Every structure is written in structure tokens, then in C-alpha cells.
Amino acid sequence: MLARIPWNLTRKIERFHDADVVVLSLGKSGRTWLRVMLHRALALEYDLAFDPIRLDPGSSPAPRIAYTHELATHLRADPLGKQLLGRSILPRSLTDRKRLVVLVRDPRDVVVSSYFHKRERSRKTDMPLEAFIHHPRWGIELLVAILNRWRRRFADHPRCHWVHYEALRRASEAELGRLFEALAVPVGHDAIARSVDAARFDRMQAAEAAGAFGDPRLRPGDVDRPESFKVRRGKVGGYRDDFGPEAIAFLDAAVARLDPFFGYGPTAVEAVDARCSALRRA
């Protein structure tokens, strides 16, 4: 049963009050990649200094964007005391008046990426991968429950835009353009195309290895260990490379409990390909 805490009694909530847009996602859903593209496109369009973490819009029309894992942090990372204070929760009094973006990714890929993050970067576990996917706090079943909760909370939100990582990978420029339209922020095609090109995975990894982003959160745990990179693989469906039939069946059964809206069923890849083909034709 997911904890239902509708408040945030900490000062952490203050950073969301001034935001025009709040981006929610599970950890390891491609948020760093999306963030770099968003910030670079806005910096190019509105002549701002590029910053991969926090972009200062100044007096420009660019929005103030805040990022959070919200319920995922609350249930997967926060200790009991912080949970009771609602430290990571966005109360409805705040979300009702904000533009929201929910970035989603197949939780089977998320749980694998989360495992390598906790083993290679935060060093919070050394358990085997197959044990990790069953873990009550870090495993696949809680990820599915969190996505379902967000869907129930925000399905009828009039200014909530849902972004699928897989669609963003297949049609980056089109999806980024749709996102800016949803945010009612004019950004031209040239700025979008240049931001997508600059955020190619090989360039992101090279920048991370060189420490070019400046922020320690965007550096590899060990440049000689590819699995310790913040930008690791980004492969759609890559989870199948790491498991045998029994573990894959367990993961598939968990994902079958997702709200059908997410589209991560047996024909998920075909559905995303069809959607991206339609976007390219538009």
C-alpha cells in the first residue's frame, strides 16, 4: 500500500513555488538527457547562459523549470522521519496550479539502470541484479505502483504533458517540439535541432567523462567503468540483455499491471514506432 501523505512540511517545497513547470519522473528515466535538451534549446532561443542543472530565464519568456522524482524519492529513498514530513511530496495545492511534465520510461529498463546506479555510483548495494528487481523498495513492483499513482493523480490535470522516453529516443525533435507547444513556450526548429544534436549520447558521455558539465552529479563514478556513468546506455528494451527467461517473465508480469495508458505491453515497441512514424509524416 502506497503511503498517502498530502502535505510537505519542509522548506524543500519552496523551490517549487516559483517554478512555472515541474517535471516528474522515476530516477533513471532519461531526465538528465531531457534536461540538457530543454535547457540548451531555451538557451539558444532566448540567448541565455546554458546550464545543464538550473537555467536562469532572467526576464526572457523562458519558463522556470523544477525537477523532482517526488513519490519515487519519498518511497524509495527517504527515511521514515522525512516521509512523515512529506519532504519529497508535491501537495495538490501546488500541482493544481502548475504546468506538469511527466517523463515515463519502461520500468523494466528503469530498474536495470537503477541497479547499476546504486551499485556503481551511489554504492548502496552489492546484491545481484536478479535479487534487486525483487527488492521491496527498489524493485520493479514499486516502480509500477508509483507510475500508476501518478497516472491516477494527473490523468485529468488540464496542463499535464506526458513524455515517453522511447518516443523521445525515436523522434527527438518532434517530441521536443510537442513538449514546448504544451508548455506554450515558442522555440524554433533550429534551436530544437541543435539541442538534440548536442545531446547525442556519445557527446553526453564524452562531456561527462571530461567533466565538462561542471556539476559533480554529472560525472562518472569511474571513467574506466562504463556502468558507472550517469549517461549509461539509454537503450530501449536493453533489460532483455541482462536476464534469463524466468526473470523476464517476472518483469513482464509486473509491467502488465501498469495502466494501459503507458503502452508498455507486448506490442509496446510497435506502438511507439507507429506513433513516431505518424509524427514524422505530420
Side-chain angles (χ1 to χ4, degrees):
M1 187 70 173
L2 294 185
R4 288 178 169 82
I5 292 183
W7 57 75
N8 187 323
L9 305 178
T10 72
R11 295 187 63 182
K12 185 178 178 183
I13 194 65
E14 293 176 4
R15 71 186 180 95
F16 295 99
H17 286 313
D18 292 334
D20 302 302
V21 178
V22 178
V23 179
L24 298 96
S25 67
L26 295 174
K28 314 312 297 179
S29 293
R31 186 178 77 172
T32 298
W33 177 48
L34 176 63
R35 194 171 189 157
V36 166
M37 287 192 292
L38 281 176
H39 290 197
R40 192 172 293 279
L42 289 168
L44 289 168
E45 185 71 23
Y46 295 107
D47 194 24
L48 303 171
F50 171 71
D51 187 311
I53 300 299
R54 288 185 177 85
L55 189 72
D56 182 2
S59 59
S60 77
R64 290 177 173 82
I65 308 175
Y67 299 84
T68 179
H69 299 312
E70 207 242 6
L71 189 59
T73 300
H74 176 75
L75 293 172
R76 301 179 79 228
D78 284 349
L80 180 60
K82 291 180 179 178
Q83 286 185 342
L84 293 174
L85 291 172
R87 178 178 180 271
S88 300
I89 295 297
L90 301 181
R92 183 171 178 177
S93 59
L94 185 141
T95 58
D96 278 357
R97 55 190 175 85
K98 299 294 181 182
R99 290 189 184 275
L100 304 180
V101 174
V102 184
L103 172 64
V104 300
R105 183 185 185 187
D106 189 325
R108 291 166 292 196
D109 283 329
V110 170
V111 76
V112 172
S113 189
S114 179
Y115 170 74
F116 285 109
H117 179 92
K118 292 187 184 300
R119 193 189 74 178
E120 301 288 343
R121 292 179 63 81
S122 64
R123 307 293 175 90
K124 290 183 177 179
T125 187
D126 59 359
M127 72 176 68
L129 176 56
E130 291 207 16
F132 186 89
I133 65 175
H134 291 269
H135 194 279
R137 199 170 198 191
W138 296 334
I140 186 77
E141 292 175 317
L142 186 56
L143 297 178
V144 167
I146 291 167
L147 288 176
N148 282 337
R149 171 73 75 81
W150 279 338
R151 182 59 187 167
R152 289 193 296 273
R153 283 169 62 191
F154 304 128
D156 297 323
H157 192 295
R159 296 189 298 169
C160 180
H161 183 70
W162 300 79
V163 179
H164 281 67
Y165 172 86
E166 295 78 12
L168 194 61
R169 287 283 286 160
R170 286 170 170 80
S172 302
E173 291 183 27
E175 288 292 319
L176 205 57
R178 289 181 65 246
L179 174 53
F180 282 123
E181 287 178 11
L183 299 180
V185 178
V187 176
H189 178 265
D190 181 65
I192 290 174
R194 289 170 63 188
S195 72
V196 168
D197 185 62
R200 282 185 355 217
F201 267 55
D202 58 336
R203 292 183 174 174
M204 292 271 288
Q205 286 183 322
E208 182 178 348
F213 290 125
D215 193 285
R217 290 170 290 182
L218 300 181
R219 293 175 185 165
D222 183 339
V223 293
D224 295 322
R225 294 174 65 86
E227 300 293 3
S228 77
F229 275 63
K230 180 78 170 176
V231 180
R232 196 175 64 90
R233 282 196 299 172
K235 182 178 178 181
V236 173
Y239 73 94
R240 293 187 176 274
D241 299 338
D242 297 289
F243 299 105
E246 185 176 342
I248 289 176
F250 168 73
L251 294 170
D252 289 348
V255 168
R257 294 191 286 275
L258 269 175
D259 187 303
F261 163 81
F262 292 107
Y264 292 124
T267 59
V269 172
E270 292 84 350
V272 171
D273 282 339
R275 181 181 177 215
C276 292
S277 295
L279 285 169
R280 285 191 289 268
R281 292 193 299 269

